[in-house]
């Protein structure tokens, strides 16, 4: 089976073109990237430098924030244990429930009647999101607080020159 | 029984200092002996019997529930009222600067201190929405470039300042008179930002939100979120602030952006500010309603119970003056007769007209000179001279009078369950000789 001459020529031309395309696409024959040979432009350098500076600044900020967070956490966590409160029936429950949110400083510096302590439990639940305290546990907690932290003369009014 | 705790705490924190303070000795006990002393000061040994004869240092003259000192990088030795939430008061004698340095600022948190924003501070975002025509979502960079930046000296005072003077004692941190500051704040006027958002006629109140997590860790609850009538928000001294004394605001005090609402309870100066909502009705966030930041209109029996339903929100804080160049508990040389005194005074939205000092429990008064404030809502410097009649024990009572002629009372007035707005006159005890 033979092709007409014109088709042979056409086929030859297509093959030649294909070879040329292949030849031109060989890696070694590709036009080299200018960037690989020429130094980076001033703008590119500036961008790269700015990126590096921003990354460094960000890393510094993150490190500073982390260090500061650790310092603040240390101050906010006095590492209290139950024995910071006076010995008594109910101490364990009071310590566990109250220190879920706050340190004992505010307890130890407060002094209320049993009625006021009892009201405070409702306030903590309604305003501060404490789990409701009911029944025997509530009695235990309020009795302990009322016994050990009753109303008293305010320490800040104490005379600095007397015992 | 509870009397041992302050000293025990002190031994736990700084045994050498505790020993020096309590027994006037330095270096007598070392290492394990010091630790043993700290342990010995437990619940069974009466504190008083251990004390030396004679005068006590003021730091240890506080009985049950005394106040240890804050030890923290970047902060002065404030009176530590609580660790979690972190709360600390500035001793009155530390408030002598006209512009309060950042390290001497009192600390009040309602929640946890959030982690410091690690991004570029200029990218911190604040939303203004609610009853506005054009809700805004602004970065700190936008704030600085779009609005006029102003710098003002502004009071910021805790609504509970002076609480310790209430009898009987109320709930809350037992502040003396040191929950006050007068920093030089740089920021933009909240008024300008609200105007840019186009407030509707229904925009009558604000509500503020910050990034501090609730103490319980419950992420669905703001730690505190208070608001004010629009008139206060539109005052030209109410700022969205981003610098304190020319520096970025310290993390502890609201970095990178906070509100400053001078002359009103400090809880309106929301730290770590990220949203302000304009409302048709008073805000209802934590810290609003009931007995929170509210005082009786009809005075109630001190110590009685109330749900605060007929109380009103505190607006302007009351008048108060402090003596700042002589510390409570100072001992002066025998023969001292002339006292050069100075201090600060302020009166919320008003100004201070006069300051008087008495050395005889109010039987007689000497008028001091009071400077004009450098700008509205700054505190005012006062100074003057007093003569003492003899050696001995004196209390210097400082009494300020506001521009309406209202004076500080001798005792904290208008008792309320959470102990707000007490402004009993300050008492500074001194001993001459």
């Amino acid at each position: 089976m033979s092709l007409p001459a014109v088709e042979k020529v056409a086929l030859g031309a297509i093959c030649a073109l294909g070879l040329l395309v292949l030849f031109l696409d060989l890696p070694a024959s590709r036009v080299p990237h200018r960037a690989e040979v020429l130094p980076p432009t001033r703008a590119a350098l500036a961008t790269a430098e700015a990126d590096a500076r921003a990354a460094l600044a960000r890393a510094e900020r993150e490190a500073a924030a982390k260090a500061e967070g650790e310092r603040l956490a240390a101050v906010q966590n006095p590492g209290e244990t139950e024995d910071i409160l006076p010995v008594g029936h109910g101490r364990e429950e009071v310590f566990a429930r109250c220190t879920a949110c706050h340190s004992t400083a505010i307890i130890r510096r407060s002094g209320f009647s049993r009625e006021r302590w009892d009201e405070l439990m409702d306030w903590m639940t309604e305003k501060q999101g404490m789990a409701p305290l009911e029944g025997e546990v509530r009695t235990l907690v309020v009795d302990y607080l009322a016994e050990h932290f009753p109303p008293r003369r305010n320490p800040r009014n104490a005379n600095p020159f007397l015992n | 029984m509870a009397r041992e705790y302050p000293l025990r705490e002190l031994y736990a924190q700084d045994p050498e200092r505790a020993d020096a303070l309590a027994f006037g000795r330095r270096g007598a006990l070392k290492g394990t002996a010091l630790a043993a002393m700290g342990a010995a000061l437990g619940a069974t040994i009466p504190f008083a019997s251990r004390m030396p004869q004679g005068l006590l240092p003021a730091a240890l003259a506080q009985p049950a529930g005394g106040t240890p000192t804050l030890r923290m990088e970047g902060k002065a030795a404030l009176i530590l009222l609580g660790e979690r939430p972190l709360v600390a008061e500035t001793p009155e004698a530390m408030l002598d600067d006209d512009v309060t340095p950042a390290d001497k600022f009192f600390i009040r948190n309602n929640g946890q201190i959030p982690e410091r924003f690690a991004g570029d501070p200029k990218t911190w975002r604040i939303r203004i929405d609610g009853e506005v025509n054009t809700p805004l979502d602004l970065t700190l960079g936008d704030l600085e470039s779009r609005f006029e930046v102003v710098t003002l000296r502004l009071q910021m005072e805790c609504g509970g300042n002076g609480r310790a003077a209430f009898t009987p004692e109320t709930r809350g941190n037992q502040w003396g008179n040191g929950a006050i500051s007068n920093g030089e704040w740089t920021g933009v006027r909240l008024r300008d930002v609200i105007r840019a958002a186009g407030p509707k006629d229904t925009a009558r109140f604000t509500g503020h939100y910050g990034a501090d997590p609730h103490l319980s860790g419950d992420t669905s609850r703001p730690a505190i979120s208070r608001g004010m009538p629009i008139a206060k928000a539109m005052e030209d001294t109410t700022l969205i602030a981003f610098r304190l004394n020319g520096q970025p605001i310290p993390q502890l005090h609201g970095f990178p952006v906070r509100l400053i609402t001078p002359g009103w309870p400090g809880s309106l100066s929301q730290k770590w500010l990220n949203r302000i909502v304009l409302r048709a009705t008073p805000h209802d966030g934590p810290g609003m309603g009931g007995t929170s930041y509210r005082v009786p209109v009809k005075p109630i029996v001190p110590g009685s119970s109330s749900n605060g339903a007929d109380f009103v929100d505190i607006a302007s804080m009351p008048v108060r003056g402090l003596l700042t160049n002589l510390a409570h508990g100072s001992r002066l040389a025998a023969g001292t007769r002339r006292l050069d005194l100075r201090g600060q005074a302020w009166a919320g939205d008003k100004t201070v007209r006069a300051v008087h000092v008495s050395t005889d429990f109010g039987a007689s008064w000497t008028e001091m000179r009071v400077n004009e404030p450098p700008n509205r809502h700054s505190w005012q410097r006062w100074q003057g001279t007093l003569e003492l009649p003899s050696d001995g024990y004196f209390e210097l009572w400082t009494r300020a009078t506001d521009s309406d002629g209202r004076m500080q009372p001798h005792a904290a007035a208008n008792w309320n369950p959470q102990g707000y707005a007490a402004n009993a006159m300050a008492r500074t005890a001194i001993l001459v000789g």
Side-chain angles (χ1 to χ4, degrees):
Chain A
M1 202 166 123
S2 67
L3 293 168
V6 65
E7 288 185 7
K8 280 182 183 164
V9 169
L11 194 63
I14 288 166
C15 289
L17 269 173
L19 283 171
L20 186 66
V21 166
L22 278 174
F23 171 77
L24 287 175
D25 200 37
L26 285 175
S29 69
R30 281 182 195 155
V31 178
H33 293 291
R34 285 180 178 279
E36 287 173 13
V37 215
L38 297 175
T41 64
R42 201 175 293 171
L45 266 181
T47 306
E49 265 176 39
D51 285 351
R53 270 201 308 273
L56 189 64
R58 177 158 190 93
E60 280 173 359
R61 280 199 305 267
E62 279 168 0
K66 188 162 177 283
E68 181 157 33
E70 282 164 5
R71 281 201 305 275
L72 289 170
V75 174
Q76 292 175 90
N77 180 7
E80 292 178 329
T81 52
E82 180 184 318
D83 62 5
I84 196 158
L85 295 173
V87 176
H89 187 51
R91 178 171 80 166
E92 189 182 337
E93 288 75 11
V94 167
F95 185 80
R97 293 207 170 237
C98 302
T99 61
C101 278
H102 59 79
S103 62
T104 64
I106 190 79
I107 305 172
R108 291 179 287 115
R109 284 159 201 157
S110 295
F112 307 122
S113 64
R114 192 185 188 288
E115 195 184 359
R116 293 291 92 82
W117 275 118
D118 193 56
E119 281 175 2
L120 194 52
M121 299 305 111
D122 291 332
W123 184 83
M124 284 291 170
T125 298
E126 286 161 22
K127 296 281 192 179
Q128 303 294 337
M130 182 177 81
L133 199 52
E134 302 296 348
E136 280 176 25
V137 185
R138 182 179 180 120
T139 306
L140 187 67
V141 165
V142 174
D143 282 351
Y144 174 89
L145 292 168
E147 182 189 342
H148 295 280
F149 301 99
R152 55 166 184 260
R153 243 187 89 227
N154 199 305
R156 296 296 298 276
N157 292 341
N159 190 300
F161 296 116
L162 295 176
N163 272 320
Chain B
M1 291 295 282
R3 288 171 66 89
E4 292 83 8
Y5 287 107
L7 195 57
R8 204 167 61 156
E9 281 175 4
L10 204 58
Y11 263 94
Q13 286 176 359
D14 189 346
E16 283 185 35
R17 178 170 167 269
D19 207 51
L21 278 173
F23 300 97
R25 63 194 176 201
R26 218 168 258 288
L29 295 178
K30 296 206 185 293
T32 50
L34 265 178
M37 176 60 81
L41 287 162
T44 54
I45 302 176
F47 174 60
S49 70
R50 288 287 192 154
M51 295 312 298
Q53 294 299 306
L55 299 174
L56 270 184
L60 289 177
Q62 298 164 354
T67 48
T69 300
L70 177 73
R71 306 242 171 251
M72 189 179 169
E73 190 182 316
K75 293 300 290 184
L78 306 182
I79 302 162
L80 182 61
L81 296 184
E83 301 90 353
R84 186 166 54 105
L86 185 61
V87 180
E89 174 177 346
T90 313
E92 293 175 27
M94 225 184 254
L95 290 165
D96 198 39
D97 308 88
D98 286 338
V99 175
T100 311
D103 67 321
K104 294 177 182 169
F105 260 66
F106 74 95
I107 303 168
R108 171 66 174 125
N109 288 289
N110 285 268
Q112 303 174 37
I113 299 166
E115 198 157 290
R116 185 186 186 87
F117 178 58
D120 180 345
K122 291 208 182 308
T123 64
W124 178 268
R125 303 194 88 85
I126 296 162
R127 209 144 43 94
I128 313 286
D129 56 13
E131 301 293 312
V132 296
N133 292 313
T134 317
L136 299 176
D137 187 2
L138 300 166
T139 63
L140 173 52
D142 295 334
L143 282 180
E144 286 189 83
S145 60
R146 283 183 54 181
F147 303 95
E148 185 188 350
V149 173
V150 295
T151 297
L152 295 166
R153 293 184 188 181
L154 301 170
Q155 319 151 30
M156 186 177 50
E157 181 175 24
C158 177
N161 201 17
R163 178 177 289 137
F166 273 120
T167 306
E169 64 190 301
T170 71
R171 300 210 296 262
N173 294 295
Q174 297 299 305
W175 299 106
N177 290 307
I180 174 73
S181 59
N182 196 65
E184 197 164 76
W185 293 97
T186 298
V188 299
R189 296 184 191 93
L190 175 57
R191 180 185 73 190
D192 296 346
V193 178
I194 290 176
R195 281 184 185 157
K200 296 178 181 169
D201 291 344
T202 46
R204 296 176 55 217
F205 300 91
T206 62
H208 318 143
Y209 295 87
D212 42 336
H214 191 268
L215 272 188
S216 65
D218 180 348
T219 51
S220 69
R221 310 169 71 94
I224 187 166
S225 175
R226 302 201 63 240
M228 57 192 159
I230 192 76
K232 181 63 181 173
M234 300 302 274
E235 287 222 69
D236 60 6
T237 48
T238 301
L239 304 184
I240 299 179
F242 37 78
R243 280 196 286 281
L244 168 59
N245 302 339
Q247 298 295 317
I249 300 171
Q251 176 62 15
L252 199 47
H253 297 293
F255 176 86
V257 179
R258 71 176 300 170
L259 269 181
I260 294 294
T261 306
W264 288 36
S267 50
L268 288 167
S269 294
Q270 192 89 34
K271 294 192 271 190
W272 308 291
L273 179 73
N274 55 24
R275 184 184 175 207
I276 295 173
V277 57
L278 277 293
R279 298 172 53 103
T281 54
H283 188 42
D284 52 7
M288 299 296 287
T291 55
S292 292
Y293 300 95
R294 283 157 65 86
V295 290
V297 179
K298 185 184 76 175
I300 64 173
V301 175
S304 64
S305 180
S306 172
N307 64 9
D310 53 358
F311 288 12
V312 290
D313 288 359
I314 303 166
S316 172
M317 289 294 287
V319 63
R320 196 190 310 269
L322 292 181
L323 172 62
T324 59
N325 71 325
L326 210 46
H328 180 56
S330 291
R331 200 159 177 185
L332 306 180
T336 302
R337 292 293 176 269
R338 186 188 144 103
L339 295 179
D340 290 321
L341 303 178
R342 64 173 186 269
Q344 312 287 359
W346 62 97
D349 284 344
K350 304 186 186 88
T351 55
V352 174
R353 173 198 288 181
V355 171
H356 293 77
V357 179
S358 175
T359 59
D360 54 13
F361 296 82
S364 66
W365 292 94
T366 303
E367 185 160 8
M368 304 284 117
R369 296 185 307 282
V370 184
N371 293 356
E372 291 296 311
N375 56 252
R376 186 155 181 257
H377 281 123
S378 168
W379 68 14
Q380 294 163 253
R381 161 72 71 192
W382 65 263
Q383 53 203 317
T385 303
L386 271 185
E387 293 290 330
L388 294 175
S390 65
D391 284 0
Y393 173 87
F394 295 95
E395 289 188 14
L396 304 177
W397 289 36
T398 304
R399 184 191 72 195
T401 305
D402 73 20
S403 42
D404 289 348
R406 293 181 66 83
M407 299 173 187
Q408 288 182 259
H410 282 76
N414 206 16
W415 190 95
N416 57 90
Q418 286 185 250
Y420 297 112
N423 69 329
M425 46 183 96
R427 297 164 61 167
T428 307
I430 60 167
L431 187 60
V432 181

